[in-house]
Amino acid sequence: MICDDVKRVAYFFLDGKLGENKQNDFKTHVSICPDCEQRVSIHRRLRLFICKRLSRDSAPQRLRQRLARSFRGLTSET
Amino acid sequence: MKTAVATDHEQGWDFEKAAMPYVDSLYNTAYRMTRNSEDAEDLVQETYLKAYKYYDKFEEGTNFKAWLFKIMKNTFINNYRKKKLTPHKIDFSEIEESYERVIQKNAPDLIKDPESEIFQDMMDADVKRALDSLPHDYKMVVLLADIEGFSYKEIAEILDCPVGTVMSRLYRGRKMLERTLLEYARKYGYIRGGAEPAKMRSRKDETKGRKKKDPETGEETDVEPEADEEAILFADDEDVELEIEEEEEPEQFEIE
Ligand SMILES: [Zn+2]
């Protein structure tokens, strides 16, 4: 694996989606290439940041009540 | 795999009890899809009513959450996307280039303080704005993968597209999102520079090799951009062919 390959598959590595061989190649390269090690850390930090910051907007209470009313209507029909 | 849900179903399942735990997930995704709370609420309501109605079509033992998301996606397309949007023409090579510039220029800053959050002072609203700036298809895969935690295969089922397309969109969607965030970080002074303002220029702007000259009239016409949106990354490179694990992927990753 060369640096360009690492760039292309870094996201999939972080998703745990590389096959065993690819994953080992990836790890080997990253362990000897400081540039790629940095790159993978940056991807990982950005991913954590994005997941945390885009965490859910909760459904408004109004919607929950509306759904509850619908469900009551549906179950009383049957 | 028999789940508790499947067993309950056989015994006259309490739909409300099973479905309501997903209301926050569905609403959050609906809100990012419609960008409007009223539309999002209507979309979730309609999704639940359809799910209730078609519940006998749900395959027991499969992922109920993914099934709800698929209904929501289809409902969204029917209600809001009747008019087919013109495809976004995005120059990904430009995005990649500017991404590389900013990473190279700022790498040390971007990895220092690994214990703290990368752009601590950035506002949530900016992060959401960055996500909302992505073309719909790319936004969807990022939401489904990184916020809702669906596997590639589940996303492919929800969106009715091949796994390769999911991966391709995920790669590009994440890269666009990260690039936009890096650009904000530069603008607000969290990093020094390197990311020029986003130029989501269309391919039309690229003149070299993109024009076709009619030999008779001398008239120049734009060459149709190749339909690369659905292209599967890596397909042209056997050496880097991915071995995708079809089974449940481990959540953890590690680098020695
Ligand atoms: Zn390298």
Side-chain angles (χ1 to χ4, degrees):
Chain A
M1 205 175 258
I2 57 168
C3 297
D4 275 353
D5 301 332
V6 169
K7 283 178 195 170
R8 278 201 278 181
V9 302
Y11 291 131
F12 306 118
F13 172 79
L14 290 175
D15 284 344
K17 279 292 191 175
L18 294 189
E20 209 183 322
N21 293 338
K22 274 286 169 274
Q23 180 159 321
N24 289 336
D25 287 354
F26 189 100
K27 284 190 197 172
T28 307
H29 179 101
V30 165
S31 69
I32 54 169
C33 177
D35 281 355
C36 286
E37 192 194 9
Q38 268 188 348
R39 165 177 294 269
V40 175
S41 312
I42 293 167
H43 282 316
R44 187 194 285 124
R45 295 194 71 198
L46 282 166
R47 175 86 61 87
L48 286 172
F49 175 75
I50 289 163
C51 293
K52 192 175 156 206
R53 296 306 195 88
L54 291 175
S55 61
R56 293 157 188 167
D57 288 321
S58 304
Q61 203 50 39
R62 189 178 52 212
L63 174 61
R64 290 170 187 279
Q65 286 161 356
R66 190 175 152 194
L67 290 170
R69 271 199 306 278
S70 302
F71 288 134
R72 271 200 301 279
L74 289 168
T75 40
S76 63
E77 270 172 30
T78 50
Chain B
M1 189 180 68
K2 279 279 169 187
T3 62
V5 170
T7 322
D8 287 350
H9 180 211
E10 287 151 16
Q11 300 165 351
W13 179 45
D14 186 342
F15 178 84
E16 183 176 356
K17 215 167 165 183
M20 278 309 279
Y22 302 112
V23 70
D24 286 335
S25 284
L26 288 165
Y27 176 77
N28 187 53
T29 305
Y31 187 71
R32 298 256 79 82
M33 286 160 97
T34 60
R35 299 201 220 172
N36 169 312
S37 60
E38 261 175 54
D39 287 346
E41 287 181 36
D42 288 347
L43 182 55
V44 173
Q45 163 94 358
E46 203 176 333
T47 300
Y48 272 122
L49 293 180
K50 279 190 185 155
Y52 185 88
K53 195 169 156 196
Y54 296 112
Y55 179 60
D56 56 352
K57 298 225 172 18
F58 172 64
E59 278 178 54
E60 289 174 20
T62 62
N63 188 327
F64 185 57
K65 182 182 171 187
W67 186 70
L68 290 173
F69 269 77
K70 185 170 180 143
I71 294 174
M72 185 161 84
K73 183 233 52 183
N74 288 336
T75 308
F76 176 77
I77 289 173
N78 284 334
N79 295 3
Y80 299 89
R81 296 281 296 272
K82 282 197 177 116
K83 195 178 66 160
K84 184 133 174 60
L85 300 177
T86 49
H88 295 264
K89 288 177 187 149
I90 296 164
D91 185 350
F92 284 100
S93 59
E94 163 115 1
I95 289 171
E96 295 254 29
E97 276 167 34
S98 89
Y99 188 89
E100 292 306 318
R101 274 199 301 276
V102 72
I103 293 288
Q104 271 161 30
K105 203 161 176 178
N106 295 283
D109 278 348
L110 291 168
I111 54 162
K112 76 175 181 206
D113 307 328
E115 295 309 309
S116 59
E117 201 179 38
I118 190 163
F119 300 132
Q120 246 174 359
D121 298 328
M122 196 181 285
M123 311 256 279
D124 284 1
D126 286 323
V127 185
K128 285 174 180 161
R129 190 155 57 92
L131 181 76
D132 287 341
S133 75
L134 300 187
H136 179 82
D137 291 341
Y138 297 92
K139 180 162 68 177
M140 282 309 291
V141 290
V142 173
L143 273 171
L144 295 174
D146 292 343
I147 313 305
E148 295 304 332
F150 286 116
S151 69
Y152 297 172
K153 222 174 137 187
E154 287 167 335
I155 298 171
E157 274 161 28
I158 293 168
L159 300 179
D160 283 313
C161 66
V163 170
T165 305
V166 171
M167 294 174 70
S168 169
R169 288 182 187 170
L170 204 45
Y171 176 89
R172 290 173 163 175
R174 282 169 174 165
K175 191 142 275 188
M176 281 191 271
L177 178 56
E178 290 181 8
R179 217 246 346 209
T180 307
L181 291 172
L182 291 165
E183 198 185 290
Y184 290 167
R186 185 189 62 92
K187 192 168 132 198
Y188 304 137
Y190 309 140
I191 53 174
R192 283 170 299 147
E196 269 100 70
K199 273 194 285 177
M200 295 250 183
R201 65 178 181 186
S202 85
R203 286 164 189 276
K204 262 192 197 163
D205 300 337
E206 290 171 58
T207 45
K208 276 254 151 60
R210 300 278 180 192
K211 297 268 186 193
K212 200 166 58 184
K213 201 170 188 174
D214 190 305
E216 311 256 302
T217 63
E219 210 179 304
E220 283 194 351
T221 47
D222 289 319
V223 176
E224 272 295 297
E226 69 269 46
D228 68 344
E229 203 210 355
E230 302 295 316
I232 297 170
L233 287 180
F234 324 112
D236 57 338
D237 189 344
E238 283 167 30
D239 290 340
V240 203
E241 201 183 332
L242 283 176
E243 308 151 33
I244 306 295
E245 309 267 24
E246 288 290 348
E247 271 89 44
E248 278 301 302
E249 70 276 22
E251 285 288 289
Q252 290 305 312
F253 44 79
E254 65 213 319
I255 301 178
E256 303 301 330

